[in-house]
Amino acid sequence: MKSIHVWGVKQNNLKNIEAHIPLGEITVVCGPSGSGKSSLAFETLFAEGQRRFIESMSNYARQFLNKAPKPDIEGINNIPPAISIEQKNTVKTSRSTVGTTTEIIDYLRLLYEKIGVPHCPEHHIPMFRHSTTEATDVVLKKFKDKRGYILIEVPKDNRIVEGKKLHSLLLQDGYIRAATLSKGVISLLEISEPAQVKKGLPKETFYIVIDRMLFNDEEKGRLTDSITQAYDASVKYVAGLSARKALVITTEGEQLKLCEEVSCSICARTAPNITSKLFAFNSPIGACPTCKGFGNVLELDENKVVPNSNLSISQGALNPFTMPSAEQDKKALFAFAKKQKISLLTPWKDLPKNQKEMIWNGTKDFFGVKGLFEYLDQIKYKMHVRVFISRYRSGSRCSDCQGSRLRKEVQSILIDQQPITSLSALTIEKLQQFFDQLKTTPYQNEVAGEVLKQVRSRLNFLMRVGVSYLSLNRETRTLSGGEYQRLILANQLGMGLSQTLYVLDEPTVGLHPRDNDRLISILKDLKDLGNTLVIVEHDHDVIKSAENIIEMGPGSGYLGGKVMFAGKALDFFNAKESNTAQYLKTSHHKVINAKPVDIDKYKYKIELTGCSGNNLKNIDVMIPLNRLVVVTGVSGSGKSTLITKTLYPALAKKLEIEFLPIQKYSKLYGDEAIKNVLLVDQSAIGKSARSSPVTYLKAFDNIRTLMAGLPESKQRGYTAGTFSLNVDGGRCPSCRGTGFEEIDMQFMDNVIIPCDVCDSKKYRPEILEIIVNGKNIHDILSMTVAEAMNFFVAHPNIRKPLAVLKEVGLDYLTLGQPASTLSGGESQRLKIAKELSQVSQKSTLYILDEPTTGLHFKEIELLMNVLHKLIDAGGSVVVVEHNMDVIKNADYVIDMGPDAGEAGGEVVFTGTPINMTKSKKSLTGQYLRKYLGNE
């Protein structure tokens, strides 16, 4: 069998390795964090596959593509074009939705263009286009065997000519009768009579009588001719008419309006021109004119202007007035308050309503909060003013489109009585049910059969990757990295590419074990199309379903970079040199002795009642303190809404730590038992290129003090600030302490090159002359944590925070490694390490959202030890997690469910992991029982 053969790989920490990846099969790359998995999969295989594909294009095409870097390898054979699907959600714009990302909304737009039926928004009846033949059939069907008139309307303001000229023209064309209508009653006028000629035509709207006849099948030919004549006459006598029209009225007063354009037969309202752009909120043709297609409008948010209502005006309750630039406005506010006898010392929440309204809306004497922002709107061409304004505004639903983003006209174009906005608001699961039940005519199948096939196919793929609870109108930027990756995966399967190399980064992130089987079947479908898959993964199920396995190791960072195993999956489980195989055996899956708690009798607990945000169904939860609490449940069951969107912001506001939007809840009890709450997520620890693990833990301050205390430093007058990378003094003046220079390429991507002044050492040459134990400051920052612990053995104030890094399994990092290069899992563990290095963790609640992302089985053990250490120190830990190794270690489990989206939002089980395995309601409990080998 042919395979991708790569040799001499020295990318990053890889140690001149060689690998074979069979084509047309699934290969899993596993190993500890930082062992070189991503270096092999993404920075070598994907980078070279993409680079060669781009190189094969014309010079013209290449200028529009980013130039892919060449990996550090000796050679590679049989590499196909490569596509990477990473778990990073880089989407920032609110214009991108699940529908646009998966392209389903594009197919729905086509579908509504092809078979959407416009309805009259006033009379709620279908609108139709009436050709002369169709008009004849409609008249005969509706008014069979009745007598009536065929007329054309001549409005008073839209006549082609006026007065006697029009009268003369009508007589010249052979029309001898006109009519007026009043409350459905027709009155005829003989316009050829001398008396009527003298009197003239009515100044108000009147009608030209084309014919009067009996509507039956014998007169069908005459009826067709009369309607044709009426259509022609309508555009001859009425100015500015876009479509030919006619009116049929019976002697009984029944009316039927006919039009060659799509229109209502009762009120003659015409439908908009139906094109796919009419259904696109990113097009000015379809976007709501009020919100410009965003679905919301930015308005001043009182919760942002007054984040802490417990403060008084003098204490800075009105946040915009506390800024240094608003000093004059602050004086005006205080003067107004004094004049109106408004207390500056009373908390904002306790001020009378009329006084708050005066401050907010302003008066003749004072501009008010609104007036301040109205003035700022006039000068928002300045960047800092726009940034300032944005801090205090929040999006509120657009009153015109009700958040649908589209014009009102779109709401009346229906398929099976549903507008496109209603379908976009459905979950993917319900949308699939809608299309499964949709009945179409032979004509609709002919014009839209392929579109329907694509919609159903893509919905099926999305169901299988486990995102059934998402709706098409959900903003892409609000998705987790794992959800975004699975959307892209489903989209790729919909494209049907073959002979391609797919490189995936942990596709099971955020997935409940229930959904793993569906995901694995998707991966196998991609393979069956003739593609090769390389998956960086730690999940048991994915590793067991792979055909080939490459394990990197043995450790992380400089201790990794070697191939520990490469071969067929069947041989992997018995490989003695493997660090991973032992963790896949059921014998390793044991429940750690938990500290069970009787929640009803337990004294220290937090109780949250009436939680009803998003899909939560008015639930009450109790969370025991000084315990490891794990919140589980299928993806989309409401775990994150409950913990990170309700519990954390509610506690943070109560403790006055930060003021974030809070999902709806009734009461919060037990918060007096904690003094601090911390959300430890996987966001980057610093945005600056100079931020690093050693600066984050404040250990660099002690290192700089040590360097500044050396005799030679004192002799030269160096201080601790001289060794800082954040201020001028000792840092390189060219790169300003970053070690590289970024060149602005105008319309192309910026180019980053090593600084040629300091040779990427970040400091001036004379600073590097200061030596401690044979090492200068650059050498120290280049050390790994493990090496630095030995180096600073005589300096406990430096060694202690480094020892904490070793505890959390980050001893392979270099001290000066830029924070921007750390993975999400590494950043999260670094935050935990900082907490461990603090004096006390007592009375602190730590909230972690899926901390095992990117962690090897051995590192999960380390993480659990660290979490238990936080608890032993008096802290409390709440973890949102799917990983069975974490769930089995829990003291208390809250299982959400029973399913995702609207079918979720309830508490299915609370108690110990062992008791959860016995619960028939808990889906997580059933998978835990299977994982522990109890069935």
Side-chain angles (χ1 to χ4, degrees), residues 482-502:
E483 287 171 331
Y484 179 70
Q485 185 187 33
R486 291 195 291 281
L487 286 189
I488 301 300
L489 184 61
N491 203 29
Q492 286 296 328
L493 194 55
M495 288 181 180
L497 293 178
S498 63
Q499 310 302 317
T500 304
L501 170 64
Y502 282 98

Side-chain angles (χ1 to χ4, degrees), residues 87 506 509-510 538 682 824-825 828 849-855 881:
Q87 53 166 286
E506 290 195 71
V509 167
H538 298 111
Q682 297 202 353
Q828 193 170 39
D849 195 355
E850 297 194 36
T852 61
T853 301
L855 298 192
E881 190 55 87

Side-chain angles (χ1 to χ4, degrees), residues 768-817:
L768 299 176
E769 292 171 2
I770 306 298
I771 305 292
V772 56
N773 295 339
K775 303 281 185 182
N776 61 30
I777 188 72
H778 170 68
D779 296 331
I780 289 170
L781 290 176
S782 301
M783 288 180 183
T784 64
V785 171
E787 292 169 336
M789 284 180 66
N790 294 328
F791 184 79
F792 291 112
V793 70
H795 301 276
N797 60 339
I798 299 173
R799 196 176 189 277
K800 186 181 176 183
L802 299 181
V804 180
L805 284 178
K806 185 176 182 180
E807 273 187 62
V808 297
L810 295 176
D811 54 338
Y812 59 89
L813 295 180
T814 58
L815 299 189
Q817 184 170 336

Side-chain angles (χ1 to χ4, degrees), residues 49-92:
Q50 187 191 50
R51 189 186 72 83
R52 290 195 182 187
F53 180 64
I54 291 172
E55 289 294 321
S56 70
M57 294 181 176
S58 66
N59 289 333
Y60 176 77
R62 285 209 299 268
Q63 69 179 324
F64 300 108
L65 299 167
N66 293 328
K67 186 171 172 61
K70 192 177 191 313
D72 187 2
I73 56 174
E74 286 182 20
I76 188 167
N77 291 332
N78 301 326
I79 184 89
I83 293 172
S84 79
I85 305 177
E86 298 187 60
Q87 53 166 286
K88 288 180 182 175
N89 184 356
T90 55
V91 176
K92 303 296 179 193

Side-chain angles (χ1 to χ4, degrees), residues 46 79 138 196 565 663 862:
F46 165 67
I79 184 89
V138 170
Q196 191 65 45
F565 176 87
Q663 292 290 342
L862 274 173

